């Protein structure tokens, strides 16, 4: 029986590319999503990959969602925490709700999904968790104290959980994408985006498939000695 992978936010953008890459590795993939039913249906129709709707910021929904995937497809050995949102604004204009919502989904989602899946991975002696951070969690970004804090938190979360999984064959890693050509980046005003691209040494936005290839490696058997690491895939925009 092939291993089962859940990709949160797996029906569009970077997550869609990750779902396809893991499917192409021979894994059985469940793509989670939040609310865009039309896109999720189109994704399933085009790929045959099952889509499961729940809010990763809701603790109980994650416990129930992972249980539903396990019931339908088998025990979950791989989780890619990719779902994320932005609620940008300078601190003076950022509401408490904008802060909480980004923390709840982007960082809380990682905790909720790990709580739902890590124990089973440990018991079975094999697991892969990949958390999608961001260049803006590494370097900060104007107008994103909520997003940068949540993504930076993901990198700490990754290193801490990696230590708990290492003895049990469960690796926990992060990927920090730079600017990738998805709906999220399409929402950035064009003049701002031009300035961002001008700072990317390779001279272009990244493609979702370029993040997915990194995730696929970290989810493979070959990556068993890689844990607690962050792979930066950003066209050379931030090197440290
Ligand atoms: P998109 O906005 O294109 O897609 C986001 C996905 O996440 C959608 O599938 C959406 O579901 C899902 N989602 C959002 N909120 C929730 C929720 N509460 N529960 C479950 N699913 C949810 O994002 P990207 O593909 O651009 O980004 C993917 C990840 O990569 C995010 O974590 C983002 O922060 C990170 N990232 C992106 C970068 C970029 O340049 N694009 C750069 C660095 C990091 P639905 O379709 O139902 O709305």
């Amino acid at each position: 029986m092939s291993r089962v992978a859940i990709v949160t936010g797996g029906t569009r953008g970077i997550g869609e590319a990750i779902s396809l890459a893991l499917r192409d590795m021979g894994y059985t993939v469940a793509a989670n999503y939040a609310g865009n039913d039309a896109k999720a249906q189109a994704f399933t129709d085009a790929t045959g990959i099952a889509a499961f709707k729940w809010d990763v910021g809701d603790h109980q929904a994650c416990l129930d969602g992972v249980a539903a995937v396990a019931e339908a497809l088998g025990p979950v050995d791989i989780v890619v925490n990719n779902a994320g949102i932005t609620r940008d604004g300078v601190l003076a204009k950022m509401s408490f709700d904008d802060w909480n919502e980004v923390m709840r989904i982007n960082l809380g989602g990682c905790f909720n999904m790990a709580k739902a899946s890590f124990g089973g991975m440990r018991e079975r002696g094999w697991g892969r968790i990949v958390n999608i951070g961001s260049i803006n969690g590494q370097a900060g970004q104007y107008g994103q104290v909520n997003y940068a804090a949540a993504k930076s938190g993901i990198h700490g979360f990754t290193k801490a959980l990696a230590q708990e999984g290492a003895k049990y064959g469960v690796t926990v890693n992060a990927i920090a994408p730079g600017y990738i050509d998805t709906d999220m980046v399409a929402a950035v005003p064009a003049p701002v985006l031009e300035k961002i691209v001008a700072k990317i040494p390779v001279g272009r936005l990244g493609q979702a498939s370029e993040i997915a290839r990194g995730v696929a490696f970290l989810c493979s058997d070959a990556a068993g000695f890689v844990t607690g690491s962050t792979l930066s895939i950003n066209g050379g925009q931030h090197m440290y």
Side-chain angles (χ1 to χ4, degrees), residues 8-15 32-37 39 54-57 81-86 104-106 132-135 147 151 176-185:
T8 69
T11 56
R12 63 185 173 94
I14 293 172
N32 151 271
Y33 71 105
N36 191 335
D37 296 319
K39 175 60 197 171
W54 74 83
D55 173 6
V56 298
N81 286 310
N82 164 78
I85 62 163
T86 51
R104 186 183 75 83
I105 292 172
N106 294 15
I132 305 300
S134 170
I135 188 173
Y147 185 85
K151 291 299 188 180
Y179 283 81
I180 309 300
D181 192 8
T182 69
D183 293 347
M184 183 180 274
V185 163

Side-chain angles (χ1 to χ4, degrees), residues 21 28 52 62 70 83 123 132 193 228:
T28 301
F52 292 78
C62 287
E123 276 165 26
I132 305 300
L193 197 55

Side-chain angles (χ1 to χ4, degrees), residues 59-229:
H59 188 71
Q60 189 59 47
C62 287
L63 300 180
D64 295 344
V66 171
V69 170
E71 173 79 23
L73 304 174
V76 175
D77 289 326
I78 298 153
V79 168
V80 182
N81 286 310
N82 164 78
I85 62 163
T86 51
R87 293 283 185 273
D88 294 351
V90 293
L91 182 69
K93 292 188 179 162
M94 185 177 290
S95 69
F96 191 49
D97 279 353
D98 290 338
W99 167 265
N100 277 334
E101 193 61 355
V102 168
M103 297 304 282
R104 186 183 75 83
I105 292 172
N106 294 15
L107 185 55
C110 294
F111 175 79
N112 295 337
M113 288 300 295
K115 284 290 281 186
S117 60
F118 186 72
M121 293 179 192
R122 256 177 58 146
E123 276 165 26
R124 292 186 298 277
W126 195 95
R128 298 282 182 268
I129 295 178
V130 178
N131 302 314
I132 305 300
S134 170
I135 188 173
N136 294 349
Q138 298 171 309
Q141 176 63 284
Y142 184 92
Q144 283 197 326
V145 293
N146 52 0
Y147 185 85
K151 291 299 188 180
S152 187
I154 282 178
H155 297 304
F157 175 89
T158 298
K159 291 178 201 172
L161 190 60
Q163 294 180 32
E164 295 186 27
K167 256 193 279 180
Y168 303 92
V170 182
T171 68
V172 186
N173 292 288
I175 289 193
Y179 283 81
I180 309 300
D181 192 8
T182 69
D183 293 347
M184 183 180 274
V185 163
V188 176
V192 177
L193 197 55
E194 269 170 39
K195 283 186 193 151
I196 290 170
V197 173
K199 287 186 188 150
I200 302 175
V202 304
R204 63 172 175 85
L205 295 174
Q207 296 300 310
S209 60
E210 294 176 301
I211 304 303
R213 277 195 281 277
V215 175
F217 167 67
L218 292 171
C219 292
S220 69
D221 282 306
F225 202 57
V226 184
T227 196
S229 78

